[in-house]
Amino acid sequence: MSTAKKRVTTRTLIKMKQANEPIAMITAYDYPAAKMAEAAGADMILVGDSLGMVVLGYDSTIPVTLEDMLHHTKAVTRGANRAMVIADLPFMVAHLSRDEVLKAAARLMQEGGAYGVKLEGGREIIENVRALTQAGIPVVGHLGLTPQSVNQLGGYVIQGKELAAAERLIEEAQHLEQAGICALVLECVPEELARLISEKLRVPTIGIGAGRHCDGQVLVYHDVLALGGEWHPSFVKVYRQAGRMMTEGIAEYVQEVKNRQFPQEEHVTHLAGEIAEQLYGAKEGATA
């Protein structure tokens, strides 16, 4: 568990990369999760648009709106004081006009309290990334498997396996760095490619399904704790079966209610004897 006390900043991330100190990032979507991530020592908390799938019940991230992201970002930033909170710009926002992208990012920072924003994409969003960073907004890039483009990509598949695709990802990572990003998420790319990109960039890389050589790792909170059922992606390690434990606890509560085992004496309060007598007497008199 990290013992660092100072708030994590973009300078912190650069120093961690230079010192070869791994960066631990995890998603959170509400106040309790943010409190737990902070207490556990996470360096970065991502309010991901993955909330659409693990919190809101959608089958992809595409339906998530800016208002959804604002709502959850506000909750997370109330629970995080040291960790850097990054909020996703939802579907299509990164591709809108410069002014609309700036306004959306500004809302996530001003209203939501986020430290910065994350955008999916490469060369097609470079100018908007540059506009954001020139406006003083910390930006985390995202290459490889970009869930907002899952329909265009043809599903959740590994990216950069062919030479041309790998070279394109390297080029786009360098362009994003030149545009001013403070970190880069690499999702579902081969380990060797992620290592090469990490070596070429001055800013840290954060891997998810990208192997062991990124400067940090990020996983979804619900995957780490098995809160979404038994299935999880192959690159995920489940650290606790919290979902199973919670289901068992709720089932036990339901059964005790059904059997009138809850509440018991220690869970109730009582009126003073004379008050109870007066109330019952008054009730009896009213119904006589």
Side-chain angles (χ1 to χ4, degrees):
M1 183 180 296
S2 174
T3 57
K5 299 295 183 182
K6 293 182 179 179
R7 180 180 288 273
V8 176
T9 68
T10 53
R11 288 188 61 196
T12 310
L13 300 183
I14 294 296
K15 288 180 178 179
M16 291 177 75
K17 180 179 175 88
Q18 292 171 344
N20 198 30
E21 178 183 351
I23 298 166
M25 186 183 203
I26 191 167
T27 67
Y29 313 102
D30 56 27
Y31 177 80
K35 291 285 286 185
M36 284 188 278
E38 177 106 335
D43 302 301
M44 302 176 73
I45 296 175
L46 174 64
V47 189
D49 58 2
S50 48
L51 69 89
M53 301 169 76
V54 299
V55 176
L56 302 180
Y58 298 131
D59 60 2
S60 75
T61 65
I62 292 173
V64 177
T65 67
L66 181 60
E67 296 304 320
D68 291 331
M69 293 306 305
L70 275 168
H71 176 82
H72 288 273
T73 301
K74 289 177 183 179
V76 168
T77 55
R78 294 184 194 113
N81 297 313
R82 185 193 67 85
M84 177 188 290
V85 177
I86 299 294
D88 267 337
L89 284 178
F91 179 67
M92 281 304 296
V93 172
H95 301 269
L96 299 178
S97 71
R98 174 183 177 277
D99 286 347
E100 288 175 292
V101 172
L102 286 171
K103 287 176 182 177
R107 290 192 67 193
L108 286 169
M109 293 179 69
Q110 288 182 314
E111 298 176 39
Y115 184 92
V117 297
K118 181 170 75 65
L119 288 74
E120 294 184 7
R123 66 187 69 181
E124 70 279 7
I125 64 164
I126 288 293
E127 291 308 314
N128 279 341
V129 170
R130 185 173 290 111
L132 289 166
T133 59
Q134 288 178 348
I137 296 173
V139 174
V140 174
H142 186 155
L143 290 175
L145 174 59
T146 47
Q148 292 176 11
S149 303
V150 65
N151 289 348
Q152 187 269 332
L153 294 173
Y156 296 94
V157 293
I158 301 294
Q159 302 295 306
K161 294 175 70 174
E162 305 299 327
L163 178 60
E167 290 176 336
R168 184 174 64 252
L169 283 176
I170 293 170
E171 180 184 351
E172 290 188 329
Q174 292 174 320
H175 285 324
L176 285 170
E177 181 173 63
Q178 292 165 10
I181 61 170
C182 64
L184 176 65
V185 170
L186 293 172
E187 181 168 359
C188 290
V189 301
E191 181 175 74
E192 296 81 4
L193 176 57
R195 180 175 189 172
L196 183 58
I197 292 173
S198 300
E199 290 172 351
K200 286 180 175 291
L201 297 187
R202 182 183 67 87
V203 299
T205 57
I206 311 294
I208 176 167
R212 295 162 288 185
H213 303 294
C214 292
D215 300 301
Q217 299 290 331
V218 58
L219 283 178
V220 171
Y221 174 88
H222 290 64
D223 289 340
V224 169
L225 299 176
L227 293 175
E230 295 299 320
W231 183 89
H232 54 81
S234 61
F235 56 78
V236 167
K237 179 177 179 179
V238 175
Y239 286 83
R240 292 290 187 276
Q241 288 288 345
R244 185 182 304 165
M245 182 180 66
M246 292 165 70
T247 301
E248 290 170 354
I250 296 169
E252 188 174 343
Y253 157 73
V254 169
Q255 196 60 43
E256 288 199 356
V257 170
K258 296 290 188 181
N259 293 337
R260 297 192 181 277
Q261 294 174 289
F262 176 84
Q264 297 179 357
E265 178 62 30
E266 64 266 31
H267 306 123
V268 302
T269 57
H270 296 282
L271 286 170
E274 63 274 15
I275 301 297
E277 289 177 6
Q278 291 174 19
L279 282 174
Y280 276 86
K283 181 178 180 181
E284 291 171 357
T287 58

